[in-house]
């Protein structure tokens, strides 16, 4: 079987971490692209030199042009500027629409059969941008948000109960950001509802910390945003696709009638396999969850309208 190939665009904090996690798991050869001269080459070479120690045969190359990316199975886009304290959502959107639109178009041209995973923020709007500019069928394009949001939620819950993170399963719906909808009813610890372990008011506090998870880290770092957990999350998605594992993960996927919505990329549980987003799973929502999801969808649609003006 031919070795798989992964392109990572953006060799910053998130991109370099994606390369490290993907290489360490021997998911395939990696091409790292960035506009900064020498940076993708240097970070790529550094990672390549780690492979004997890790005991993996992963070829990592860095480049400023896209030739090195040709024929990739997966394209992971992390290019863009990260959110800085005090930066408005519109400022971020204006800059990143141009960057993500351009890189999605260039990368898609050289790897026309690939599957694209977007990490750049504002996430849902960037997935929409990449979809428009790549011309890819919607099943082959998705955004990384839900895996990260649930990872944060799972971490806090496991820490609260003092139990293994492996035994905590959770589900988050909706857009990435303030309007995300953590579904506490679907959160289980070793098969037991989380309410058995954590009383409602405390769980609400954990939900709020999850919602503010990105901002908490921006506040601490001051000069950048989270990168380890986002990168690990995207690599988990890539692994499910590359190995056709068919994992059920929350991702920003295209809806075509599911959850009563059409033509929007937003966080929902989906099966990821060799075909990309192979199936969106519709779970039953109670009135309050439906209202929160509708609010989240409305916020994403507002951002999509801004993207449409800029493209
Ligand atoms: N083509 C390729 N790379 C680009 C381009 C472009 N047109 N424009 C910017 N970049 C690169 C930058 O040179 C930089 O190396 O994208 C990289 C971004 O890296 P960081 O500034 O370290 O940002 P990072 O923390 O990695 O976040 C990247 O992911 O989680 C999101 O909100 C985050 O949108 C942000 C993205």
């Amino acid at each position: 079987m031919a070795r798989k190939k992964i392109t990572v665009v953006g060799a910053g904090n998130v991109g370099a971490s994606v390369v490290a996690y993907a290489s360490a798991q021997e998911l395939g050869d990696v091409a790292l692209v960035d506009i900064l001269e020498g940076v993708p080459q240097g970070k790529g070479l550094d990672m390549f030199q780690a492979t004997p120690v890790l005991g993996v045969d992963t070829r990592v190359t860095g480049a400023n042009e896209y030739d090195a990316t040709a024929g990739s199975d997966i394209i992971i886009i992390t290019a863009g500027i990260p959110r800085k304290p005090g930066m408005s959502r519109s400022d971020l959107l204006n800059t990143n629409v141009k960057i993500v639109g351009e890189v999605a178009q260039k990368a898609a041209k050289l790897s026309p059969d690939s599957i694209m995973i977007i990490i750049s923020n504002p996430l849902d709007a960037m997935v929409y941008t990449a979809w428009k500019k790549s011309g890819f069928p919607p099943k082959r394009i998705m955004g990384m948000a839900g895996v990260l949001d649930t990872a944060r939620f799972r971490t806090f819950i496991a820490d609260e109960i003092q139990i293994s993170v492996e035994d905590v399963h959770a589900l988050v719906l909706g857009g990435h950001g303030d309007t995300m909808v953590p579904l506490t009813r679907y959160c289980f610890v070793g098969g037991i509802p989380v309410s058995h372990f954590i009383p409602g008011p405390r769980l609400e506090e954990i939900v709020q910390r999850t919602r503010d998870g990105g901002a908490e880290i921006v506040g601490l770092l001051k000069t950048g945003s989270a990168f380890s957990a986002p990168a690990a999350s995207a690599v988990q998605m890539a692994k499910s696709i590359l190995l056709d594992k068919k994992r059920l993960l929350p991702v920003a996927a295209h809806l075509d009638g599911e959850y009563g919505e059409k033509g929007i990329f937003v966080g929902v549980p989906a099966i990821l396999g060799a075909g990309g987003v192979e199936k969106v799973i519709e779970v039953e929502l109670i009135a309050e969850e439906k209202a929160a999801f509708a609010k989240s969808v409305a916020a994403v649609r507002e951002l999509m309208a801004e993207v449409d003006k800029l493209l």
Side-chain angles (χ1 to χ4, degrees):
M1 198 170 70
R3 280 155 80 134
K4 299 285 187 182
K5 184 167 172 183
I6 303 157
T7 283
V8 180
V9 188
N13 280 335
V14 177
S17 304
V18 167
V19 173
Y21 291 131
S23 306
Q25 293 187 60
E26 220 170 15
L27 292 184
D29 291 336
V30 181
L32 177 62
V33 179
D34 199 293
I35 41 169
L36 299 176
E37 246 172 73
V39 171
Q41 291 88 344
K43 291 190 181 180
L45 182 59
D46 185 27
M47 189 61 223
F48 193 30
Q49 290 166 356
T51 57
V53 184
L54 295 170
V56 294
D57 287 298
T58 302
R59 176 163 288 276
V60 187
T61 44
N64 298 117
E65 297 302 332
Y66 284 79
D67 304 1
T69 71
S72 288
D73 298 285
I74 297 259
I75 295 167
I76 301 181
I77 297 184
T78 81
I81 54 162
R83 186 157 50 129
K84 301 193 177 77
M87 186 180 232
S88 84
R89 199 191 285 264
S90 295
D91 290 342
L92 185 69
L93 185 109
N94 287 346
T95 308
N96 284 354
V97 160
K98 289 190 200 90
I99 295 174
V100 170
E102 184 197 308
V103 307
Q105 193 168 24
K106 284 185 179 164
K109 207 169 270 172
L110 285 157
S111 301
D113 300 321
S114 63
I115 291 169
M116 233 182 240
I117 301 174
I118 315 300
I119 309 185
S120 311
N121 273 314
L123 194 270
D124 308 271
M126 291 306 110
V127 184
Y128 179 66
T129 303
W131 177 52
K132 288 252 153 163
K133 298 297 266 187
S134 66
F136 273 15
K139 294 223 166 302
R140 286 205 278 119
I141 192 147
M142 70 195 82
M144 188 294 300
V147 176
L148 170 62
D149 295 330
T150 50
R152 287 177 171 151
F153 196 39
R154 291 170 63 198
T155 306
F156 299 148
I157 286 169
D159 192 41
E160 177 79 9
I161 309 175
Q162 287 295 297
I163 212 164
S164 167
V165 289
E166 282 190 90
D167 293 323
V168 183
H169 292 276
L171 181 55
V172 171
L173 290 187
H176 185 45
D178 315 335
T179 62
M180 75 171 78
V181 188
L183 296 179
T184 51
R185 282 191 314 125
Y186 288 102
C187 179
F188 291 90
V189 182
I192 303 165
V194 69
S195 54
H196 176 84
F197 299 92
I198 305 177
R202 177 66 190 134
L203 195 58
E204 266 316 302
E205 285 173 16
I206 295 174
V207 164
Q208 194 52 44
R209 189 173 178 202
T210 303
R211 199 169 271 136
D212 298 336
E216 183 177 353
I217 289 177
V218 169
L220 291 166
L221 292 178
K222 300 199 173 62
T223 54
S225 51
F227 52 91
S228 297
S233 302
V235 171
Q236 184 178 67
M237 292 164 63
K239 184 175 176 181
S240 187
I241 295 165
L242 289 167
L243 305 185
D244 195 24
K245 282 172 73 78
K246 306 202 188 294
R247 293 209 55 181
L248 176 53
L249 299 171
V251 303
H254 185 263
L255 298 186
D256 189 25
E258 298 92 343
Y259 293 94
E261 298 293 337
K262 268 188 179 208
I264 183 174
F265 287 86
V266 70
V268 287
I271 296 174
L272 302 192
V277 175
E278 296 187 346
K279 189 174 170 51
V280 169
I281 305 296
E282 275 189 271
V283 294
E284 219 177 284
L285 301 179
I286 55 173
E288 174 190 330
E289 292 160 350
K290 270 190 194 153
F293 185 68
K295 198 173 145 204
S296 193
V297 162
V300 173
R301 286 206 187 276
E302 255 178 55
L303 293 181
M304 283 165 61
E306 278 189 54
V307 171
D308 281 333
K309 276 187 236 151
L310 294 163
L311 286 182

